[in-house]
Amino acid sequence: MAKKPPIAPPSADAAQDEGLQPAKPARFHGAALAGASFDDVDLRNARLHNASLAEAELDDVDLRDARLHNVSLAGAELDDVDLHDARLHNATLAGASLDDISLAGARIDNADAAATRWSDVSLRRARFEGSDLREVEIVGCAIDGLTIDGVRIDRLLEEAKDRARASQAPKATEKEAPLKKPRKKERKP
């Protein structure tokens, strides 16, 4: 029987290759991060469950494909945050400020986003279901394919704009009809 060669210790190259493997997604279960500040952080595929980020500041944070379940972002300031294809379930955003955010392809279910201000936000193909969107202010946002409770908002908005333009256009009959002066009645002697 032939002897097996000894197992060689891992080479330096193999150790470097191990360092290139993607890190496991960050998990925050029951985390109390209220008022925290996140700047230039990569949290792709992160899992946040029963976490509080109320009044937190998130600037240049990558949360693509993240899952946020029972998370509070109430009063938080989100600037340059990528939530592309993220899933938010039972999330509270009430009073938050969202600026330069991507929610493209995101699914937001049963969220409280009341009284939030959204500026320069991509909502392309985003889906909201059963969410509180009262008093949301949306300014300069891309909404192609945005669906709220099964209704395509981009199409609805375009139809409303068309109706408004049609009602403001002068009617052809009024425009073309010349004004007639009333005739004076002649008196008979």
Side-chain angles (χ1 to χ4, degrees):
M1 196 150 86
K3 279 186 154 181
K4 292 184 181 176
I7 298 173
S11 68
D13 291 336
Q16 287 177 349
D17 289 343
E18 287 178 22
L20 296 177
Q21 292 179 359
K24 290 184 179 181
R27 294 184 183 274
F28 299 91
H29 183 80
L33 301 168
S37 180
F38 292 86
D39 190 6
D40 197 21
V41 179
D42 184 350
L43 292 172
R44 281 178 281 182
N45 297 303
R47 303 295 185 253
L48 287 85
H49 185 76
N50 293 334
S52 175
L53 291 163
E55 298 184 11
E57 293 181 13
L58 285 75
D59 186 14
D60 196 22
V61 177
D62 190 345
L63 282 162
R64 285 179 283 173
D65 296 305
R67 303 294 182 259
L68 289 77
H69 185 82
N70 294 337
V71 173
S72 175
L73 289 160
E77 290 187 28
L78 287 74
D79 185 16
D80 195 21
V81 175
D82 192 348
L83 285 157
H84 189 268
D85 289 329
R87 302 292 179 259
L88 287 80
H89 182 71
N90 290 339
T92 301
L93 296 163
S97 174
L98 291 81
D99 185 33
D100 194 21
I101 306 297
S102 176
L103 281 166
R107 293 194 60 125
I108 300 97
D109 300 312
N110 198 31
D112 178 2
T116 54
R117 183 175 196 291
W118 303 23
S119 175
D120 194 25
V121 174
S122 175
L123 295 165
R124 289 184 171 105
R125 298 178 348 275
R127 298 182 62 86
F128 286 81
E129 296 289 334
S131 297
D132 185 352
L133 300 172
R134 288 176 293 146
E135 298 182 34
V136 171
E137 180 182 352
I138 298 177
V139 180
C141 296
I143 63 167
D144 307 344
L146 171 62
T147 304
I148 298 176
D149 290 333
V151 177
R152 282 280 302 262
I153 301 305
D154 55 343
R155 292 179 185 159
L156 188 65
L157 185 58
E158 193 57 40
E159 290 171 10
K161 286 179 181 178
D162 289 345
R163 282 192 303 273
R165 284 190 287 267
S167 69
Q168 291 175 352
K171 294 181 182 175
T173 56
E174 291 175 7
K175 186 178 182 182
E176 296 172 4
L179 294 175
K180 295 182 181 180
K181 292 183 181 179
R183 290 187 191 175
K184 291 184 180 179
K185 292 184 181 182
E186 292 182 25
R187 289 188 179 179
K188 294 185 181 181

